[in-house]
Amino acid sequence: MAGTTLEEVIGMKKICSLAFKALRLTDKPYHVEETRSSSEIFISFQGSWSVNEWFAGNPFGETKIDLQLFPSLRSIGNDEAALVNEAFLNKFKAILGSSSLENEVQKAVTNKKKIVFTGHSSGAPIAILAALWALDKYRNPNTSQIPLLCVTFGSPLVGDRIFSHAMRREKWSDYFINFVTRYDIVPRILLAPLSSIQQNLEPILQFLNPQSQNFKNEFIGRSNETWNFYFTVMKNAATITSHAACNLMHSTNLLVETISNFIELSPYRPFGTYIFITENSKLILLKNPDAVLQLLFYSSQLSNGAEGAQVAYRSLQNHLSYETELQGSNVVYLDQLEKLPLSTEGSDGSINTALNDLGMSTRARLCLRAAGELEMQKTRNQDKIDKRINDVEKALSDLKDYKEVCEGKKVGYYDAFKLQNDEKDFRSNVRRLELAGIWDEIVEMLKRYELPDEFEGRKGWIEIGTKFRRLVEPLDISNYYRHLKNEDTGAYMKKARPKRYRYTQRWLEHAGRMPTGACSESTFWAEVEELSIKTNNNRLFEDVKKDVVQLEKELEKWIHDKVLSKDVFVKGSTFVKWWKTLPPQHQSGSCIKRFIEY
């Protein structure tokens, strides 16, 4: 786990220099530089030093991510958009819309150059958003990912847990490396609400501004302001990490729920790879976001005998000293968190030394272990589900055979199941219910984020989920309308569609970069039933004509693409019966006529 040299992986010192170089820019928001071999291009972003460029409103300044620019930054099945710092997002969008950044990136992609985004302090979130924008813009399900890296130094937090979840699902986390010195306060600032730090934030930001040297000299004596700021941030960090730790350990203490009900906690969470720089310039690498949150708090605790004011001032100096602090060559990896030693007498000397260098107490180590154990539990949950894939395949195979039997008898799959006149119909219903149980279990785990973040991006489960949806949802729709007593309570799509189908449809659409609703073929029969109800209730055809024409176009495409079979058109099917009630002039001009005649 130890001994890998950072210099052999990437030239971090050069990147750090470029990040600091951008801080001195006065005429443009970013700096572009190429290597001599022209195989890489570096884009470093300028920081901001006013409060309104860190917080856009109270208390934490978060907003939903712009899914037009960042379509991947969401939970797919749960359909939740990530939250992101609004001030940083607005600044990135302003740069994207008013500079040549997009052209620079496009040129690098065309020339197949590796793009390295970087930034220090509040320039780092802009670099992160730029990298994510590029990853999403040039993401193609049929090609490899563009060569890209984002390296930050002393970055404030940017997004929430869904932000981190989406990046792990897309397997983008390894593209982001965040350096943090042990006491640097900036990566912890957004754990505190603006109202608690607003009085001292402006002078703190001016002290961190590299272009305000005179202010730095004046600020040195203002120890009370520095200590109050540091103490307030860390007090809020303590609340958040304690709450998170209780969740990691599945605490049943009602106080945990009470805290979240009465105290608004920061939504921001770490993501990507973190490299903590100790006071003796050792580099400690950690990828688990839950563990990073704990480390951000516990690593910045006061050392024995240290005075608060001294540590508070050091926290500001640490933020400005990455160029000198980044001297270490060996990286210690904290990867098997569930096995971390709880005392200084651990079995692995390098790991124990690293934890001691970060000031990890026994409680801190327990929190790191809990984060590792949660990750292991998610993997065990996934393994449990993977073992059931054969059951799913067998049940789907049986339903496919049933469908072929129905088609062989010139009875539509949908209508045969709706009639329930045969023993095979009953057995197929049993299979439907077995599959519903398996998939509902998966959905519940996804709702509670109890599976690895990568699960919804796994090709095998996307494929089997699509098979399941296309084969089984028509049976659910058939069963629903078979038992429908009052036509006014219809609307399967709005009132009764199970989450197991919504989730699997979103998986396929996301994987194929398709718009929402592009894969709605499995709900075809629900649309037919609803249109049938509307036209049978003496509703004028002109009122539903637009919907009918749209359905016909989609049906023709689905038949052509073989995602729907031609048993839709067998004599006496629900679709044919309904379609023949439409006005003759519409039937004669419809693209569907030739299929029905077939």
Side-chain angles (χ1 to χ4, degrees):
M1 290 188 291
T4 302
T5 62
L6 195 62
E7 302 286 352
E8 292 174 350
V9 182
I10 36 178
M12 291 298 174
K13 292 180 182 178
K14 173 181 173 59
I15 297 173
C16 186
S17 297
L18 291 172
F20 274 78
K21 186 175 183 178
L23 297 177
R24 296 184 284 273
L25 296 174
T26 57
D27 58 339
K28 53 185 179 180
Y30 61 89
H31 171 72
V32 180
E33 191 167 312
E34 294 188 37
T35 57
R36 291 182 180 179
S37 64
S38 296
S39 62
E40 293 177 315
I41 181 172
F42 298 88
I43 304 177
S44 50
F45 290 87
Q46 182 188 45
S48 303
W49 310 106
S50 62
V51 173
N52 61 8
E53 290 182 319
W54 285 63
F55 286 87
N58 286 320
F60 297 100
E62 76 277 16
T63 188
K64 286 186 177 180
I65 194 72
D66 184 343
L67 291 176
Q68 295 296 316
L69 282 177
F70 305 94
S72 295
L73 293 185
R74 64 189 180 102
S75 169
I76 301 173
N78 294 332
D79 200 25
E80 294 179 88
L83 296 178
V84 68
N85 181 286
E86 186 175 6
F88 298 150
L89 177 63
N90 288 341
K91 181 171 182 181
F92 167 71
K93 291 167 75 172
I95 292 172
L96 188 65
S98 61
S99 70
S100 60
L101 177 63
E102 186 166 2
N103 291 335
E104 296 279 3
V105 173
Q106 178 63 64
K107 185 168 65 174
V109 171
T110 301
N111 294 329
K112 298 183 178 179
K113 295 181 180 180
K114 181 178 181 179
I115 310 171
V116 180
F117 294 98
T118 188
H120 169 259
S121 197
S122 57
I126 313 306
I128 289 166
L129 292 171
L132 286 168
W133 163 78
L135 285 167
D136 243 332
K137 181 176 177 63
Y138 296 101
R139 178 179 181 269
N140 188 318
N142 301 315
T143 61
S144 59
Q145 187 62 61
I146 61 171
L148 180 148
L149 186 67
C150 179
V151 186
T152 71
F153 303 89
S155 175
L157 298 173
V158 180
D160 68 345
R161 62 180 176 82
I162 296 176
F163 189 96
S164 174
H165 159 81
M167 292 181 65
R168 298 183 89 190
R169 183 195 65 235
E170 300 298 326
K171 299 181 180 178
W172 290 348
S173 289
D174 287 347
Y175 297 129
F176 294 83
I177 299 177
N178 306 295
F179 282 89
V180 174
T181 53
R182 178 176 174 181
Y183 289 107
D184 185 356
I185 194 62
V186 172
R188 289 97 170 171
I189 285 179
L190 289 177
L191 295 176
L194 177 59
S195 58
S196 69
I197 58 174
Q198 189 165 13
Q199 181 177 353
N200 294 320
L201 182 56
E202 187 69 49
I204 291 292
L205 293 179
Q206 288 309 308
F207 178 83
L208 299 176
N209 185 350
Q211 299 180 29
S212 58
Q213 187 58 50
N214 291 335
F215 186 86
K216 282 182 175 57
N217 296 332
E218 296 173 4
F219 190 79
I220 291 175
R222 299 160 71 171
S223 58
N224 286 339
E225 288 183 27
T226 309
W227 168 242
N228 289 337
F229 180 81
Y230 181 86
F231 176 78
T232 303
V233 170
M234 296 314 301
K235 182 175 68 173
N236 281 277
T239 303
I240 291 166
T241 51
S242 295
H243 183 266
C246 287
N247 288 330
L248 289 174
M249 299 174 188
H250 303 290
S251 172
T252 57
N253 191 334
L254 292 178
L255 182 60
V256 176
E257 185 177 348
T258 302
I259 289 174
S260 58
N261 287 337
F262 288 94
I263 301 175
E264 189 167 6
L265 302 176
S266 171
Y268 300 110
R269 296 295 181 268
F271 73 94
T273 299
Y274 268 72
I275 299 180
F276 286 82
I277 308 173
T278 67
E279 291 181 286
N280 53 9
S281 295
K282 288 184 180 177
L283 305 172
I284 301 171
L285 185 148
L286 186 59
K287 293 186 176 183
N288 183 306
D290 293 316
V292 171
L293 178 65
Q294 299 297 323
L295 207 56
L296 282 172
F297 171 67
Y298 283 107
S299 66
S300 58
Q301 298 305 294
L302 301 180
S303 302
N304 291 334
E307 293 184 10
Q310 292 176 345
V311 173
Y313 184 70
R314 191 190 313 165
S315 74
L316 301 181
Q317 293 287 24
N318 271 188
H319 185 66
L320 302 173
S321 62
Y322 281 87
E323 286 184 284
T324 55
E325 294 284 351
L326 193 57
Q327 302 297 326
S329 59
N330 289 333
V331 183
V332 176
Y333 291 83
L334 297 184
D335 48 5
Q336 292 183 302
L337 297 174
E338 69 283 358
K339 297 180 181 179
L340 290 182
L342 294 180
S343 70
T344 57
E345 301 300 324
S347 58
D348 188 328
S350 62
I351 295 297
N352 228 338
T353 301
L355 293 173
N356 289 336
D357 286 343
L358 289 174
M360 292 292 99
S361 63
T362 298
R363 176 174 174 77
R365 294 172 187 230
L366 278 170
C367 292
L368 295 182
R369 267 196 178 188
E373 181 56 39
L374 178 62
E375 199 70 24
M376 291 293 292
Q377 182 58 53
K378 289 181 179 181
T379 301
R380 287 192 289 269
N381 290 341
Q382 180 171 274
D383 291 342
K384 176 184 173 184
I385 289 172
D386 285 346
K387 288 177 181 177
R388 304 197 69 179
I389 198 166
N390 289 335
D391 297 335
V392 175
E393 292 278 18
K394 179 63 171 64
L396 290 176
S397 178
D398 290 346
L399 288 177
K400 186 178 179 183
D401 291 342
Y402 168 67
K403 187 174 190 292
E404 290 172 354
V405 168
C406 293
E407 292 171 355
K409 291 181 178 180
K410 299 296 183 181
V411 181
Y413 176 59
Y414 177 83
D415 288 289
F417 191 83
K418 194 174 185 181
L419 293 170
Q420 289 287 307
N421 286 336
D422 194 289
E423 183 182 346
K424 288 185 174 65
D425 305 326
F426 173 78
R427 289 202 298 266
S428 296
N429 193 38
V430 172
R431 283 305 203 196
R432 175 183 73 92
L433 295 173
E434 288 173 351
L435 286 165
I438 294 172
W439 282 93
D440 286 347
E441 181 182 359
I442 293 173
V443 167
E444 285 305 308
M445 286 184 175
L446 289 171
K447 283 171 62 179
R448 298 191 296 264
Y449 295 92
E450 292 176 352
L451 290 171
D453 294 319
E454 299 84 358
F455 183 84
E456 290 183 298
R458 293 174 65 192
K459 185 178 179 181
W461 276 102
I462 293 172
E463 290 175 351
I464 200 170
T466 301
K467 270 194 230 177
F468 161 74
R469 178 174 56 84
R470 288 174 175 171
L471 197 56
V472 183
E473 185 164 22
L475 303 186
D476 267 32
I477 296 169
S478 177
N479 187 67
Y480 176 77
Y481 285 98
R482 176 172 177 257
H483 293 286
L484 188 65
K485 302 298 182 183
N486 185 347
E487 290 185 346
D488 293 335
T489 63
Y492 167 87
M493 291 298 293
K494 291 182 179 178
K495 299 180 180 179
R497 192 185 190 202
K499 288 185 175 67
R500 54 184 175 267
Y501 302 124
R502 299 180 188 275
Y503 276 54
T504 48
Q505 179 178 330
R506 289 173 191 149
W507 294 358
L508 181 62
E509 289 170 349
H510 179 76
R513 304 292 281 175
M514 293 178 275
T516 300
C519 298
S520 59
E521 66 283 345
S522 61
T523 64
F524 164 74
W525 288 107
E527 295 181 56
V528 171
E529 294 280 10
E530 288 306 308
L531 286 171
S532 178
I533 289 171
K534 290 176 181 177
T535 52
N536 287 340
N537 286 342
N538 297 320
R539 189 165 177 176
L540 293 175
F541 175 71
E542 291 303 319
D543 294 340
V544 297
K545 182 178 180 180
K546 183 178 178 182
D547 294 333
V548 172
V549 171
Q550 181 62 33
L551 179 63
E552 290 175 335
K553 287 180 180 178
E554 290 175 340
L555 177 55
E556 184 178 31
K557 179 180 182 301
W558 292 332
I559 293 292
H560 178 269
D561 295 342
K562 297 182 180 179
V563 296
L564 278 180
S565 59
K566 288 188 177 181
D567 71 329
V568 169
F569 304 112
V570 298
K571 185 178 180 180
S573 77
T574 297
F575 172 75
V576 170
K577 285 179 180 178
W578 163 73
W579 193 81
K580 287 186 175 180
T581 67
L582 301 179
Q585 63 271 27
H586 175 77
Q587 292 183 36
S588 62
S590 172
C591 60
I592 296 301
K593 183 180 179 182
R594 68 182 187 277
F595 291 111
I596 292 180
E597 291 177 343
Y598 165 88

